[in-house]
Amino acid sequence: ATQYSTNEFYHFQEKMPNMYVICTLNFEENSWFKIELTKGKAIITGFIFQKAESHHPVDYKIIASTDDKKDEKEWLLLHEGITESGNERIIKKRFDEYKPAKFIKIVLTGKNSESNYQLSFCHFDIYGFYLPN
């Protein structure tokens, strides 16, 4: 997560049974959560992103790269949420062209629905093909 510490993100129980929320506990601007494929890379063909019921992201982006040393401006934009309403809780994307990635990052680009910088979500699935080293 943003401060790269397992003490900085937790699962919280949502109101619905068996529904958990992953969130960063820091309140810095541009909070993020990154997934790294430690071996090989993936060809992303789609994803499903489910926002939490409260503290959901309003302005955020989901980006991917084969090199996390690159400036984020050079990462591949998979989705950009700009002033998304709370009614849009589940975001589904399918890509016609392949998107190679070793790193996928969810970045909060503005305040969340509670007017702070805590990034929280319930579910994130990535679909595609795995390419071993």
Side-chain angles (χ1 to χ4, degrees), residues 47-60 62 79-93 106 108 112-113 120-123:
F47 70 83
I48 296 175
F49 177 64
Q50 183 175 353
K51 300 177 190 180
E53 195 169 300
S54 63
H55 294 87
H56 60 269
V58 176
D59 295 307
Y60 67 99
I62 300 173
H79 177 74
E80 185 169 30
I82 300 175
T83 61
E84 280 185 353
S85 74
N87 296 334
E88 297 177 86
R89 291 212 35 233
I90 299 175
I91 308 298
K92 296 178 184 180
K93 291 282 182 172
I106 303 166
L108 196 62
N112 65 19
S113 63
S120 62
F121 58 95
C122 293
H123 188 86

Side-chain angles (χ1 to χ4, degrees), residues 111-123:
K111 292 185 177 181
N112 65 19
S113 63
E114 301 296 319
S115 295
N116 63 52
Y117 294 104
Q118 183 180 46
L119 171 62
S120 62
F121 58 95
C122 293
H123 188 86

